[in-house]
Each structure stands twice: as C-alpha cells, then as structure tokens.
Amino acid sequence: MLILGIETSCDETAVCIVSATGDKNSPVFSILGNALNSQTKIHEQYGGVFPALAKREHSKNLIPLFKKVLEESGFEKKLTTNNSQQTTREEIKKMLEKEPELLEQFLHYLPTIEKPPIDAIAVTVGPGLEPALWVGINFARALSLAWGIPIIPVNHMEGHIISVLVNRNEISNTQFPISNSKTKDYQPITNNSPVLFPALALLISGGHTELILIESWGKYSNIGQTRDDAVGEAFDKVARMLGLPYPGGPQISALAEISRNNAEQTQTNFKLPRPMLHTKDFDFSFSGLKTAVLYLLKDIGTPTKADRETIAREFEDAVTEVLVTKTKKALERYGAQTLIIGGGVIANTHIRKAFEKMVTEYPDTGLFFPNLALSTDNAVMIACAGYMQHLTKPSESTRTPLVAKGNLSF
C-alpha cells in the first residue's frame, strides 16, 4: 500500500508518503517522501503551545508540505488542463470553510496535478489539541473527496507505539524545520528482531505518561497513566522555574549532565520525592514533584548556577527512578516479552540509558526504542500505524467517526 500520513495533533505539521508491505508480524516500510514543520520557535514566547496559533500554522503549512512530499516521492505530475469539478469544489469549500488559508491553497494547487497512486490517507484524530486536529482531519476529508481515497483514522499514541518498527539512522531529525534530507534515497525499513507478545509500551511525551499492555497488534489495554501532569509537561514547568527557555526537557537534561560530570556536585543536600513509587498500581503523578522543586527554590532564595544544575539532576533522577520502577513492576506482573518505549521524552539520554540498563535484568525481554528522529511527533508513525490498522482492523475506518477527539484513549 501507498499511504499518505497527516499529523497535526499539536505543534508539528507533518506529511509523508510511505510504501508499506508485509504482514502484521513482519511489516516493511519505505519512506518515499517526508516533510515536517516545527512551531517550537513560534510558541516559545508563550512557554507552551498556544492552540489557536497552532491551528493557524497547520492551515498555512499543510499544502507546502504536501507539495514537497509529492515532489520527493515523484508523484507530483502537472496537468495541462484544470480538472476542477464544480460539485466537488463547492463541497470542499464547505468542508474547509473554517480553514480559509488552507482552502485557498487547496483550490489553487490540487486542480493542477494528477491524482497520485495513493491507496489510503492515515490521519491523526486524537489525542491532541482539538482545533489543531481538525485542520488535519478536514484536509484528509477534502483530499478523500477530491480523489476518492479512503481515510484511516489513527490514534496518535498508537503511532508512537508503531514507530519502533521503523528503524533507519538516515531519517532526518524532526526537531528541525522542514528537512533537507533526500528521502527518495531511503531503502525498505525493518527491524532485525520481531516484537513478541504480550508486550508492554511506556509512552512518555509532553502530554502523556501511560503504560499500555499489548496482547497483539491492535489489542491494547491502558494499565497505568498519570493522574495529573505528564512527564514532559513536568520537565517544561520545572525548566520554567529554573529560568530556562521552552521546550524545557533538553534544557533540564543539559544542566543535569553538567552536574553528573562535576565531581564537586556528586553529593547534594537537595532531595526530591519519588511520587507513587511504592503504590501497587501502575499510575504516575508528577505534580507533587514539580511543587517540591518550587518550594526548594523558595527555600534557596536565589539559586547559584551550581544549585540549578544540581536541582535539574535531582529532578531528572527522580523522574527516571519512578518511570523505571513502575515499568519493572508492570513487566513482572504481566510477563511481557517486549518493552516498547515511545514518545518525545525517550529522546532524553539519561532516561534512555536507564532503561537500557534495566532491561539487562530481563534477558528474555526485548527492548524497542524509536529512531530518535521519530520519537517526537511525525507523520511517518501515523502512516505506519494506519497500515497496521488496515491489517488488523480492515473495517475500522468505516466504523470510526472521523472527528477530532482531544482525549482519545485506548
């Protein structure tokens, strides 16, 4: 199958075309075209993502990214005559009336090109920011209407799980704006070892901290989640307390690493709590940890550079210990043969190394991380999740209403 992937759940606008073959146990993905635009710099002044602004940027960027992907994949073929049909045009106008900039670009560009040989459109329907999600959904609906291509609605978090099946070093880092990498040179992608079931997935991102039990592809159960702040959100909030810019995760990690490499800071009087570390369930809580940092900073008054580095290290250590401990308990409870860790926070080097060390205690358990470039939000994981859904639940797209679901869960 050739699948067009669309991702607009938060502050990354992403589009791709993926060629997918194989069965659910041994899928092979080839990236034919891939483009992403990050809005990080735009939202930096707000200290977080501003939904109305994210929606506007998605509306502005989708067609340029779509055009780039068609060019990379070799599917942009110009027409000598305009193929616009009045009936379809009026329906599309109504469909995209809330995205006027996208509508204008759509009606200007689409009638000038041939229909590409795409078999399906995979689009994120949730979870995420609903105004942002609707832009991608409506774009998918308009393309589906214009070209008669079916839509596969995708759970964004399933995309993070499936992302571990895509493994190639040459994938360009999605932290940067539109990639300049030559994706047309990519070869088929597959992992050397299969995912064995039951599997456990830990999903850690700016908006989510979840433990998912996977019986088989397409069969997921949420066995634990955060009761308040997500882990990535906690990183950002603590970074703000320390006077660090958004996004805060990489900033905290940089300070923490300085502290670990500084022999004088090896011992510290700063001790932060490990929330819910010893509870019998698999839930998480990070708001108390964030509050503890706030009180610690109030007690210190004006922290020195060394104080900020040590606090960053202690915070990162606390988060890591909680994540590892809870995951170990779940692995043992359910006898998982595979551990999958996905989401943007797994780009954190310290957390990544901690799980690599932890899994040595379980020699029969395989550990899967996504390629670093696919750990943050991207369209490739959405297209690949769409293919896996096609294999496991082929009629899902006809049963699932195509609506934005900000709080969508498994």
PDB file of all heavy atoms in Angstrom, residues 8 13 37-39 42 52-66 98-106 135 178:
ATOM      1  N   THR A   8      -1.286  16.516  12.781  1.00  0.00           N
ATOM      2  CA  THR A   8      -1.444  17.911  13.241  1.00  0.00           C
ATOM      3  C   THR A   8      -1.980  17.944  14.671  1.00  0.00           C
ATOM      4  O   THR A   8      -2.795  18.810  15.000  1.00  0.00           O
ATOM      5  CB  THR A   8      -2.405  18.705  12.323  1.00  0.00           C
ATOM      6  OG1 THR A   8      -3.716  18.111  12.384  1.00  0.00           O
ATOM      7  CG2 THR A   8      -1.927  18.745  10.886  1.00  0.00           C
ATOM      8  N   THR A  13       3.484  20.236  12.168  1.00  0.00           N
ATOM      9  CA  THR A  13       2.708  19.913  10.979  1.00  0.00           C
ATOM     10  C   THR A  13       3.545  18.933  10.181  1.00  0.00           C
ATOM     11  O   THR A  13       4.689  19.238   9.825  1.00  0.00           O
ATOM     12  CB  THR A  13       2.441  21.162  10.116  1.00  0.00           C
ATOM     13  OG1 THR A  13       2.037  22.247  10.941  1.00  0.00           O
ATOM     14  CG2 THR A  13       1.381  20.876   9.066  1.00  0.00           C
ATOM     15  N   ASN A  37       7.155  20.578   9.682  1.00  0.00           N
ATOM     16  CA  ASN A  37       7.426  21.955  10.091  1.00  0.00           C
ATOM     17  C   ASN A  37       7.160  22.074  11.587  1.00  0.00           C
ATOM     18  O   ASN A  37       6.058  21.799  12.057  1.00  0.00           O
ATOM     19  CB  ASN A  37       6.536  22.935   9.324  1.00  0.00           C
ATOM     20  CG  ASN A  37       6.897  24.371   9.612  1.00  0.00           C
ATOM     21  OD1 ASN A  37       6.583  24.899  10.664  1.00  0.00           O
ATOM     22  ND2 ASN A  37       7.564  25.012   8.669  1.00  0.00           N
ATOM     23  N   SER A  38       8.193  22.453  12.345  1.00  0.00           N
ATOM     24  CA  SER A  38       8.060  22.610  13.787  1.00  0.00           C
ATOM     25  C   SER A  38       7.694  24.050  14.136  1.00  0.00           C
ATOM     26  O   SER A  38       8.238  24.991  13.562  1.00  0.00           O
ATOM     27  CB  SER A  38       9.372  22.234  14.477  1.00  0.00           C
ATOM     28  OG  SER A  38       9.300  22.518  15.857  1.00  0.00           O
ATOM     29  N   GLN A  39       6.776  24.200  15.087  1.00  0.00           N
ATOM     30  CA  GLN A  39       6.337  25.532  15.525  1.00  0.00           C
ATOM     31  C   GLN A  39       6.982  25.946  16.852  1.00  0.00           C
ATOM     32  O   GLN A  39       6.546  26.913  17.473  1.00  0.00           O
ATOM     33  CB  GLN A  39       4.811  25.540  15.687  1.00  0.00           C
ATOM     34  CG  GLN A  39       4.015  25.186  14.444  1.00  0.00           C
ATOM     35  CD  GLN A  39       2.525  25.120  14.736  1.00  0.00           C
ATOM     36  OE1 GLN A  39       2.027  25.680  15.719  1.00  0.00           O
ATOM     37  NE2 GLN A  39       1.789  24.413  13.889  1.00  0.00           N
ATOM     38  N   ILE A  42       7.806  29.567  17.390  1.00  0.00           N
ATOM     39  CA  ILE A  42       6.618  30.427  17.419  1.00  0.00           C
ATOM     40  C   ILE A  42       5.976  30.423  18.805  1.00  0.00           C
ATOM     41  O   ILE A  42       5.545  31.465  19.315  1.00  0.00           O
ATOM     42  CB  ILE A  42       5.601  29.971  16.350  1.00  0.00           C
ATOM     43  CG1 ILE A  42       6.200  30.155  14.947  1.00  0.00           C
ATOM     44  CG2 ILE A  42       4.281  30.736  16.476  1.00  0.00           C
ATOM     45  CD1 ILE A  42       5.348  29.579  13.843  1.00  0.00           C
ATOM     46  N   ALA A  52      -4.802  28.196  19.321  1.00  0.00           N
ATOM     47  CA  ALA A  52      -5.298  28.946  18.163  1.00  0.00           C
ATOM     48  C   ALA A  52      -4.180  29.236  17.174  1.00  0.00           C
ATOM     49  O   ALA A  52      -4.379  29.201  15.946  1.00  0.00           O
ATOM     50  CB  ALA A  52      -5.948  30.248  18.630  1.00  0.00           C
ATOM     51  N   LEU A  53      -2.997  29.507  17.703  1.00  0.00           N
ATOM     52  CA  LEU A  53      -1.850  29.774  16.846  1.00  0.00           C
ATOM     53  C   LEU A  53      -1.395  28.494  16.148  1.00  0.00           C
ATOM     54  O   LEU A  53      -1.034  28.514  14.959  1.00  0.00           O
ATOM     55  CB  LEU A  53      -0.712  30.357  17.683  1.00  0.00           C
ATOM     56  CG  LEU A  53       0.528  30.868  16.949  1.00  0.00           C
ATOM     57  CD1 LEU A  53       0.151  31.871  15.874  1.00  0.00           C
ATOM     58  CD2 LEU A  53       1.498  31.491  17.941  1.00  0.00           C
ATOM     59  N   ALA A  54      -1.424  27.374  16.862  1.00  0.00           N
ATOM     60  CA  ALA A  54      -1.057  26.090  16.259  1.00  0.00           C
ATOM     61  C   ALA A  54      -1.985  25.762  15.095  1.00  0.00           C
ATOM     62  O   ALA A  54      -1.541  25.323  14.025  1.00  0.00           O
ATOM     63  CB  ALA A  54      -1.107  24.985  17.311  1.00  0.00           C
ATOM     64  N   LYS A  55      -3.286  25.986  15.290  1.00  0.00           N
ATOM     65  CA  LYS A  55      -4.281  25.733  14.240  1.00  0.00           C
ATOM     66  C   LYS A  55      -3.977  26.569  13.001  1.00  0.00           C
ATOM     67  O   LYS A  55      -3.994  26.073  11.873  1.00  0.00           O
ATOM     68  CB  LYS A  55      -5.678  26.057  14.773  1.00  0.00           C
ATOM     69  CG  LYS A  55      -6.778  26.094  13.727  1.00  0.00           C
ATOM     70  CD  LYS A  55      -8.096  26.494  14.373  1.00  0.00           C
ATOM     71  CE  LYS A  55      -9.128  26.927  13.341  1.00  0.00           C
ATOM     72  NZ  LYS A  55      -9.556  25.838  12.480  1.00  0.00           N
ATOM     73  N   ARG A  56      -3.678  27.846  13.197  1.00  0.00           N
ATOM     74  CA  ARG A  56      -3.385  28.730  12.070  1.00  0.00           C
ATOM     75  C   ARG A  56      -2.151  28.270  11.291  1.00  0.00           C
ATOM     76  O   ARG A  56      -2.143  28.276  10.062  1.00  0.00           O
ATOM     77  CB  ARG A  56      -3.165  30.163  12.568  1.00  0.00           C
ATOM     78  CG  ARG A  56      -3.058  31.203  11.459  1.00  0.00           C
ATOM     79  CD  ARG A  56      -2.476  32.499  11.986  1.00  0.00           C
ATOM     80  NE  ARG A  56      -1.042  32.373  12.255  1.00  0.00           N
ATOM     81  CZ  ARG A  56      -0.302  33.315  12.817  1.00  0.00           C
ATOM     82  NH1 ARG A  56      -0.872  34.443  13.214  1.00  0.00           N
ATOM     83  NH2 ARG A  56       0.990  33.141  13.006  1.00  0.00           N
ATOM     84  N   GLU A  57      -1.114  27.870  12.025  1.00  0.00           N
ATOM     85  CA  GLU A  57       0.120  27.433  11.375  1.00  0.00           C
ATOM     86  C   GLU A  57      -0.085  26.138  10.594  1.00  0.00           C
ATOM     87  O   GLU A  57       0.476  25.968   9.508  1.00  0.00           O
ATOM     88  CB  GLU A  57       1.230  27.255  12.415  1.00  0.00           C
ATOM     89  CG  GLU A  57       1.733  28.553  13.006  1.00  0.00           C
ATOM     90  CD  GLU A  57       2.344  29.470  11.949  1.00  0.00           C
ATOM     91  OE1 GLU A  57       3.255  29.025  11.233  1.00  0.00           O
ATOM     92  OE2 GLU A  57       1.894  30.628  11.847  1.00  0.00           O
ATOM     93  N   HIS A  58      -0.888  25.214  11.134  1.00  0.00           N
ATOM     94  CA  HIS A  58      -1.195  23.989  10.393  1.00  0.00           C
ATOM     95  C   HIS A  58      -1.887  24.330   9.076  1.00  0.00           C
ATOM     96  O   HIS A  58      -1.549  23.784   8.022  1.00  0.00           O
ATOM     97  CB  HIS A  58      -2.106  23.072  11.212  1.00  0.00           C
ATOM     98  CG  HIS A  58      -1.449  22.449  12.398  1.00  0.00           C
ATOM     99  ND1 HIS A  58      -0.196  21.884  12.347  1.00  0.00           N
ATOM    100  CD2 HIS A  58      -1.878  22.294  13.682  1.00  0.00           C
ATOM    101  CE1 HIS A  58       0.126  21.401  13.545  1.00  0.00           C
ATOM    102  NE2 HIS A  58      -0.878  21.640  14.367  1.00  0.00           N
ATOM    103  N   SER A  59      -2.858  25.218   9.155  1.00  0.00           N
ATOM    104  CA  SER A  59      -3.610  25.619   7.968  1.00  0.00           C
ATOM    105  C   SER A  59      -2.694  26.224   6.900  1.00  0.00           C
ATOM    106  O   SER A  59      -2.866  25.990   5.713  1.00  0.00           O
ATOM    107  CB  SER A  59      -4.706  26.623   8.376  1.00  0.00           C
ATOM    108  OG  SER A  59      -5.479  26.985   7.273  1.00  0.00           O
ATOM    109  N   LYS A  60      -1.715  26.966   7.345  1.00  0.00           N
ATOM    110  CA  LYS A  60      -0.782  27.629   6.429  1.00  0.00           C
ATOM    111  C   LYS A  60       0.232  26.666   5.825  1.00  0.00           C
ATOM    112  O   LYS A  60       0.650  26.825   4.671  1.00  0.00           O
ATOM    113  CB  LYS A  60      -0.054  28.751   7.181  1.00  0.00           C
ATOM    114  CG  LYS A  60       0.924  29.557   6.338  1.00  0.00           C
ATOM    115  CD  LYS A  60       1.475  30.731   7.121  1.00  0.00           C
ATOM    116  CE  LYS A  60       2.413  30.274   8.217  1.00  0.00           C
ATOM    117  NZ  LYS A  60       3.059  31.414   8.919  1.00  0.00           N
ATOM    118  N   ASN A  61       0.633  25.644   6.586  1.00  0.00           N
ATOM    119  CA  ASN A  61       1.774  24.816   6.192  1.00  0.00           C
ATOM    120  C   ASN A  61       1.433  23.505   5.502  1.00  0.00           C
ATOM    121  O   ASN A  61       2.314  22.889   4.881  1.00  0.00           O
ATOM    122  CB  ASN A  61       2.634  24.498   7.421  1.00  0.00           C
ATOM    123  CG  ASN A  61       3.332  25.725   7.977  1.00  0.00           C
ATOM    124  OD1 ASN A  61       3.790  26.568   7.222  1.00  0.00           O
ATOM    125  ND2 ASN A  61       3.416  25.829   9.302  1.00  0.00           N
ATOM    126  N   LEU A  62       0.197  23.029   5.595  1.00  0.00           N
ATOM    127  CA  LEU A  62      -0.118  21.702   5.070  1.00  0.00           C
ATOM    128  C   LEU A  62       0.135  21.563   3.561  1.00  0.00           C
ATOM    129  O   LEU A  62       0.766  20.593   3.120  1.00  0.00           O
ATOM    130  CB  LEU A  62      -1.571  21.328   5.392  1.00  0.00           C
ATOM    131  CG  LEU A  62      -1.787  20.637   6.736  1.00  0.00           C
ATOM    132  CD1 LEU A  62      -3.272  20.508   7.052  1.00  0.00           C
ATOM    133  CD2 LEU A  62      -1.124  19.258   6.758  1.00  0.00           C
ATOM    134  N   ILE A  63      -0.349  22.502   2.772  1.00  0.00           N
ATOM    135  CA  ILE A  63      -0.184  22.387   1.316  1.00  0.00           C
ATOM    136  C   ILE A  63       1.292  22.467   0.900  1.00  0.00           C
ATOM    137  O   ILE A  63       1.744  21.645   0.094  1.00  0.00           O
ATOM    138  CB  ILE A  63      -1.031  23.440   0.571  1.00  0.00           C
ATOM    139  CG1 ILE A  63      -2.528  23.110   0.708  1.00  0.00           C
ATOM    140  CG2 ILE A  63      -0.650  23.506  -0.917  1.00  0.00           C
ATOM    141  CD1 ILE A  63      -2.957  21.818   0.049  1.00  0.00           C
ATOM    142  N   PRO A  64       2.096  23.423   1.424  1.00  0.00           N
ATOM    143  CA  PRO A  64       3.523  23.404   1.074  1.00  0.00           C
ATOM    144  C   PRO A  64       4.224  22.095   1.428  1.00  0.00           C
ATOM    145  O   PRO A  64       5.058  21.601   0.651  1.00  0.00           O
ATOM    146  CB  PRO A  64       4.097  24.575   1.886  1.00  0.00           C
ATOM    147  CG  PRO A  64       2.949  25.506   2.064  1.00  0.00           C
ATOM    148  CD  PRO A  64       1.753  24.610   2.218  1.00  0.00           C
ATOM    149  N   LEU A  65       3.896  21.510   2.582  1.00  0.00           N
ATOM    150  CA  LEU A  65       4.497  20.235   2.965  1.00  0.00           C
ATOM    151  C   LEU A  65       4.002  19.107   2.061  1.00  0.00           C
ATOM    152  O   LEU A  65       4.777  18.230   1.652  1.00  0.00           O
ATOM    153  CB  LEU A  65       4.168  19.912   4.424  1.00  0.00           C
ATOM    154  CG  LEU A  65       4.758  20.837   5.486  1.00  0.00           C
ATOM    155  CD1 LEU A  65       4.328  20.378   6.879  1.00  0.00           C
ATOM    156  CD2 LEU A  65       6.273  20.879   5.411  1.00  0.00           C
ATOM    157  N   PHE A  66       2.727  19.119   1.750  1.00  0.00           N
ATOM    158  CA  PHE A  66       2.130  18.128   0.854  1.00  0.00           C
ATOM    159  C   PHE A  66       2.800  18.184  -0.516  1.00  0.00           C
ATOM    160  O   PHE A  66       3.155  17.155  -1.112  1.00  0.00           O
ATOM    161  CB  PHE A  66       0.637  18.399   0.754  1.00  0.00           C
ATOM    162  CG  PHE A  66      -0.123  17.468  -0.155  1.00  0.00           C
ATOM    163  CD1 PHE A  66      -0.049  16.094   0.017  1.00  0.00           C
ATOM    164  CD2 PHE A  66      -0.915  17.965  -1.170  1.00  0.00           C
ATOM    165  CE1 PHE A  66      -0.759  15.239  -0.814  1.00  0.00           C
ATOM    166  CE2 PHE A  66      -1.634  17.119  -1.998  1.00  0.00           C
ATOM    167  CZ  PHE A  66      -1.552  15.757  -1.824  1.00  0.00           C
ATOM    168  N   LYS A  98     -13.681  26.637   7.707  1.00  0.00           N
ATOM    169  CA  LYS A  98     -13.072  27.131   8.946  1.00  0.00           C
ATOM    170  C   LYS A  98     -11.554  27.259   8.826  1.00  0.00           C
ATOM    171  O   LYS A  98     -10.899  27.719   9.762  1.00  0.00           O
ATOM    172  CB  LYS A  98     -13.435  26.207  10.115  1.00  0.00           C
ATOM    173  CG  LYS A  98     -14.914  26.231  10.469  1.00  0.00           C
ATOM    174  CD  LYS A  98     -15.209  25.382  11.677  1.00  0.00           C
ATOM    175  CE  LYS A  98     -16.694  25.436  12.034  1.00  0.00           C
ATOM    176  NZ  LYS A  98     -17.012  24.600  13.223  1.00  0.00           N
ATOM    177  N   GLU A  99     -11.003  26.819   7.700  1.00  0.00           N
ATOM    178  CA  GLU A  99      -9.570  26.964   7.414  1.00  0.00           C
ATOM    179  C   GLU A  99      -9.398  27.709   6.097  1.00  0.00           C
ATOM    180  O   GLU A  99      -8.994  27.123   5.085  1.00  0.00           O
ATOM    181  CB  GLU A  99      -8.883  25.590   7.338  1.00  0.00           C
ATOM    182  CG  GLU A  99      -8.637  24.922   8.653  1.00  0.00           C
ATOM    183  CD  GLU A  99      -9.863  24.225   9.232  1.00  0.00           C
ATOM    184  OE1 GLU A  99     -10.573  23.538   8.495  1.00  0.00           O
ATOM    185  OE2 GLU A  99     -10.114  24.417  10.438  1.00  0.00           O
ATOM    186  N   PRO A 100      -9.715  29.004   6.060  1.00  0.00           N
ATOM    187  CA  PRO A 100      -9.716  29.743   4.788  1.00  0.00           C
ATOM    188  C   PRO A 100      -8.375  29.741   4.059  1.00  0.00           C
ATOM    189  O   PRO A 100      -8.336  29.671   2.821  1.00  0.00           O
ATOM    190  CB  PRO A 100     -10.119  31.161   5.200  1.00  0.00           C
ATOM    191  CG  PRO A 100      -9.870  31.237   6.676  1.00  0.00           C
ATOM    192  CD  PRO A 100     -10.086  29.862   7.192  1.00  0.00           C
ATOM    193  N   GLU A 101      -7.257  29.798   4.808  1.00  0.00           N
ATOM    194  CA  GLU A 101      -5.952  29.807   4.150  1.00  0.00           C
ATOM    195  C   GLU A 101      -5.666  28.455   3.498  1.00  0.00           C
ATOM    196  O   GLU A 101      -5.156  28.389   2.371  1.00  0.00           O
ATOM    197  CB  GLU A 101      -4.855  30.160   5.152  1.00  0.00           C
ATOM    198  CG  GLU A 101      -3.508  30.442   4.488  1.00  0.00           C
ATOM    199  CD  GLU A 101      -2.537  31.126   5.428  1.00  0.00           C
ATOM    200  OE1 GLU A 101      -2.857  31.288   6.623  1.00  0.00           O
ATOM    201  OE2 GLU A 101      -1.461  31.503   4.959  1.00  0.00           O
ATOM    202  N   LEU A 102      -6.020  27.386   4.188  1.00  0.00           N
ATOM    203  CA  LEU A 102      -5.859  26.052   3.623  1.00  0.00           C
ATOM    204  C   LEU A 102      -6.763  25.880   2.407  1.00  0.00           C
ATOM    205  O   LEU A 102      -6.345  25.317   1.380  1.00  0.00           O
ATOM    206  CB  LEU A 102      -6.186  24.992   4.686  1.00  0.00           C
ATOM    207  CG  LEU A 102      -6.190  23.533   4.232  1.00  0.00           C
ATOM    208  CD1 LEU A 102      -4.848  23.125   3.649  1.00  0.00           C
ATOM    209  CD2 LEU A 102      -6.572  22.604   5.397  1.00  0.00           C
ATOM    210  N   LEU A 103      -8.003  26.365   2.493  1.00  0.00           N
ATOM    211  CA  LEU A 103      -8.942  26.267   1.380  1.00  0.00           C
ATOM    212  C   LEU A 103      -8.402  26.966   0.135  1.00  0.00           C
ATOM    213  O   LEU A 103      -8.434  26.409  -0.972  1.00  0.00           O
ATOM    214  CB  LEU A 103     -10.285  26.878   1.775  1.00  0.00           C
ATOM    215  CG  LEU A 103     -11.327  27.010   0.654  1.00  0.00           C
ATOM    216  CD1 LEU A 103     -11.689  25.645   0.078  1.00  0.00           C
ATOM    217  CD2 LEU A 103     -12.573  27.734   1.166  1.00  0.00           C
ATOM    218  N   GLU A 104      -7.892  28.166   0.304  1.00  0.00           N
ATOM    219  CA  GLU A 104      -7.375  28.918  -0.837  1.00  0.00           C
ATOM    220  C   GLU A 104      -6.218  28.178  -1.515  1.00  0.00           C
ATOM    221  O   GLU A 104      -6.178  28.048  -2.739  1.00  0.00           O
ATOM    222  CB  GLU A 104      -6.905  30.303  -0.381  1.00  0.00           C
ATOM    223  CG  GLU A 104      -6.374  31.172  -1.512  1.00  0.00           C
ATOM    224  CD  GLU A 104      -5.899  32.528  -1.023  1.00  0.00           C
ATOM    225  OE1 GLU A 104      -6.050  32.821   0.186  1.00  0.00           O
ATOM    226  OE2 GLU A 104      -5.351  33.290  -1.841  1.00  0.00           O
ATOM    227  N   GLN A 105      -5.284  27.676  -0.700  1.00  0.00           N
ATOM    228  CA  GLN A 105      -4.146  26.949  -1.264  1.00  0.00           C
ATOM    229  C   GLN A 105      -4.591  25.630  -1.903  1.00  0.00           C
ATOM    230  O   GLN A 105      -4.067  25.223  -2.949  1.00  0.00           O
ATOM    231  CB  GLN A 105      -3.122  26.662  -0.165  1.00  0.00           C
ATOM    232  CG  GLN A 105      -2.432  27.890   0.398  1.00  0.00           C
ATOM    233  CD  GLN A 105      -1.360  27.494   1.399  1.00  0.00           C
ATOM    234  OE1 GLN A 105      -0.411  26.800   1.064  1.00  0.00           O
ATOM    235  NE2 GLN A 105      -1.521  27.929   2.639  1.00  0.00           N
ATOM    236  N   PHE A 106      -5.544  24.957  -1.271  1.00  0.00           N
ATOM    237  CA  PHE A 106      -6.041  23.679  -1.770  1.00  0.00           C
ATOM    238  C   PHE A 106      -6.658  23.852  -3.159  1.00  0.00           C
ATOM    239  O   PHE A 106      -6.334  23.101  -4.094  1.00  0.00           O
ATOM    240  CB  PHE A 106      -7.089  23.133  -0.793  1.00  0.00           C
ATOM    241  CG  PHE A 106      -7.521  21.717  -1.056  1.00  0.00           C
ATOM    242  CD1 PHE A 106      -6.973  20.662  -0.336  1.00  0.00           C
ATOM    243  CD2 PHE A 106      -8.484  21.426  -2.009  1.00  0.00           C
ATOM    244  CE1 PHE A 106      -7.371  19.344  -0.567  1.00  0.00           C
ATOM    245  CE2 PHE A 106      -8.896  20.130  -2.256  1.00  0.00           C
ATOM    246  CZ  PHE A 106      -8.335  19.086  -1.535  1.00  0.00           C
ATOM    247  N   VAL A 135      -7.797  20.560  11.686  1.00  0.00           N
ATOM    248  CA  VAL A 135      -7.178  21.026  10.438  1.00  0.00           C
ATOM    249  C   VAL A 135      -6.700  19.829   9.616  1.00  0.00           C
ATOM    250  O   VAL A 135      -6.965  19.729   8.420  1.00  0.00           O
ATOM    251  CB  VAL A 135      -6.004  21.986  10.711  1.00  0.00           C
ATOM    252  CG1 VAL A 135      -5.412  22.480   9.387  1.00  0.00           C
ATOM    253  CG2 VAL A 135      -6.458  23.174  11.544  1.00  0.00           C
ATOM    254  N   ILE A 178      11.478  22.028   8.200  1.00  0.00           N
ATOM    255  CA  ILE A 178      11.407  21.139   7.049  1.00  0.00           C
ATOM    256  C   ILE A 178      12.772  20.534   6.715  1.00  0.00           C
ATOM    257  O   ILE A 178      13.742  21.239   6.497  1.00  0.00           O
ATOM    258  CB  ILE A 178      10.866  21.893   5.824  1.00  0.00           C
ATOM    259  CG1 ILE A 178       9.475  22.466   6.148  1.00  0.00           C
ATOM    260  CG2 ILE A 178      10.763  20.977   4.623  1.00  0.00           C
ATOM    261  CD1 ILE A 178       8.921  23.343   5.084  1.00  0.00           C
TER     262      ILE A 178
END
